[in-house]
Amino acid sequence: MVAHTPPVALTIAGSDSGGGAGIQADLRTFSFHRVHGTSALTCVTAQNTQGVTRVDALEPAAVVAQIEAVVNDIGIQSLKTGMLLNQPIIEAVADALTQVANTRCVIDPVMVSRTGAQLIDDGAIETLRQRLIPLATVLTPNRYEAEILSGQSIHTLDDMETAAQAIHGLGAQAVVVKGGGFEGPLRGIDLWYDGTNVTKLVTTCVETNDTHGTGCTLSAAIAANLALGQSPLDATRRAKDYVTHALHHSLRIGQGQGPVGHFYPILE
Ligand SMILES: Nc1ncnc2c1ncn2[C@@H]1O[C@H](COP(=O)(O)OP(=O)(O)OP(=O)(O)O)[C@@H](O)[C@H]1O
Ligand SMILES: Cc1ncc(CO)c(N)n1
């Protein structure tokens, strides 16, 4: 027998019953990267490829207990946060994260899904902004989240850049404004800003409607790559490549937007 000690990443996120986004996407992404995936569930969504029909939150203390159980025994090299849903959960997670030293944090400020479902309570956005965003090694807003966080509308690449700069001012070490919510060529472009460098991460747009969970997959892949020791920019570049491959092999299941193909090499 050969002992194997893989890097460990933690996802703090919601469950997607349809298996395309949330914890389910994150754990598949960690496994693909040969990183051991651990999880702290924040809420359970009744969800499929067409949308969300119900959300049940966990108690904040239950979320914190999961984080502590993982951190105090197994230890983690990186984490990501996804759907945190409400203000008490965000505050509890922020308090817990300030106790976890030397962990690189990917904060995906999940607010609105591509199908238009609201995934955070109205009053919680301010708490996310003040408590969680300053803890981010990499922050990954989509178009709509970037508009809310920057207070400006985003239509062009220049808008993406000014929004990323404004959001960087909230305290994140690096910001990636994701382009999936645009029409046309911008759909394949993400804009990175770390306080010094503006970098365009470019792929050609993949012509598919089956894009459910791309955002969760990107942030989980960044966290996996950080756990493997890569720099934040390299981790993000590789994560974008991974999402693009997975989009090229997305799954045609359900009546709405199917999920990406996380294990694309064995889908061929
Ligand atoms: N059709 C596409 N072609 C190429 N890249 C895409 C496409 N759609 C999304 N992406 C990429 O997927 C990643 C996630 O971005 P997106 O804007 O879709 O996030 P999101 O809205 O948070 O996703 P979701 O809510 O569906 O999980 C980004 O790197 C983005 O560029
Ligand atoms: C549980 C969950 N987290 C995140 C998203 C964002 O896509 C979603 N649709 N569902």
Side-chain angles (χ1 to χ4, degrees):
M1 204 205 82
V2 180
H4 184 55
T5 308
V8 181
L10 168 67
T11 169
I12 307 171
S15 166
D16 169 4
S17 53
I23 292 269
Q24 289 82 356
D26 296 343
L27 293 177
R28 282 204 296 275
T29 301
F30 291 162
S31 295
F32 178 90
H33 288 83
R34 297 187 169 83
V35 168
H36 177 69
T38 60
S39 59
L41 210 62
T42 57
C43 63
V44 176
T45 69
Q47 184 173 180
N48 56 27
T49 63
Q50 296 178 291
V52 177
T53 51
R54 178 176 166 129
V55 181
D56 289 276
L58 264 73
E59 290 297 326
V63 180
V64 172
Q66 294 172 78
I67 297 170
E68 289 176 350
V70 170
V71 169
N72 294 340
D73 173 40
I74 303 169
I76 57 173
Q77 278 71 55
S78 70
L79 64 84
K80 70 151 277 187
T81 66
M83 182 173 175
L84 299 178
L85 187 64
N86 63 34
Q87 187 174 344
I89 292 178
I90 295 169
E91 279 177 355
V93 168
D95 288 343
L97 295 196
T98 50
Q99 312 290 321
V100 185
N102 299 325
T103 298
R104 300 202 277 180
C105 301
V106 183
I107 307 289
D108 189 1
V110 173
M111 298 178 196
V112 191
S113 81
R114 196 86 77 72
T115 52
Q118 187 168 341
L119 301 174
I120 190 169
D121 293 353
D122 280 336
I125 293 174
E126 205 42 44
T127 314
L128 187 74
R129 186 197 297 269
Q130 286 175 14
R131 297 289 323 275
L132 218 51
I133 286 178
L135 304 178
T137 309
V138 183
L139 180 76
T140 60
N142 67 20
R143 177 189 185 175
Y144 307 104
E145 293 151 358
E147 288 185 337
I148 291 167
L149 291 173
S150 66
Q152 65 170 80
S153 55
I154 305 175
H155 301 285
T156 64
L157 198 57
D158 284 347
D159 293 343
M160 286 170 92
E161 185 173 329
T162 50
Q165 287 168 343
I167 296 167
H168 183 264
L170 299 175
Q173 286 174 39
V175 180
V176 191
V177 175
K178 300 177 291 191
F182 292 94
E183 300 296 328
L186 274 188
R187 206 172 170 206
I189 299 180
D190 300 338
L191 203 283
W192 163 279
Y193 181 66
D194 59 15
T196 350
N197 297 316
V198 175
T199 304
K200 260 192 308 180
L201 306 174
V202 184
T203 56
T204 49
C205 172
V206 183
E207 293 301 334
T208 176
N209 198 36
D210 295 321
T211 59
H212 184 53
T214 47
C216 301
T217 301
L218 182 81
S219 54
I222 299 171
N225 289 331
L226 290 173
L228 290 163
Q230 292 159 21
S231 72
L233 181 53
D234 281 348
T236 305
R237 282 188 201 282
R238 289 178 192 222
K240 173 125 182 80
D241 282 349
Y242 173 63
V243 173
T244 306
H245 283 295
L247 268 166
H248 276 294
H249 295 80
S250 58
L251 309 185
R252 181 71 301 287
I253 55 171
Q255 311 302 305
Q257 298 180 350
V260 300
H262 289 100
F263 283 99
Y264 60 86
I266 58 169
L267 291 173
E268 289 181 332

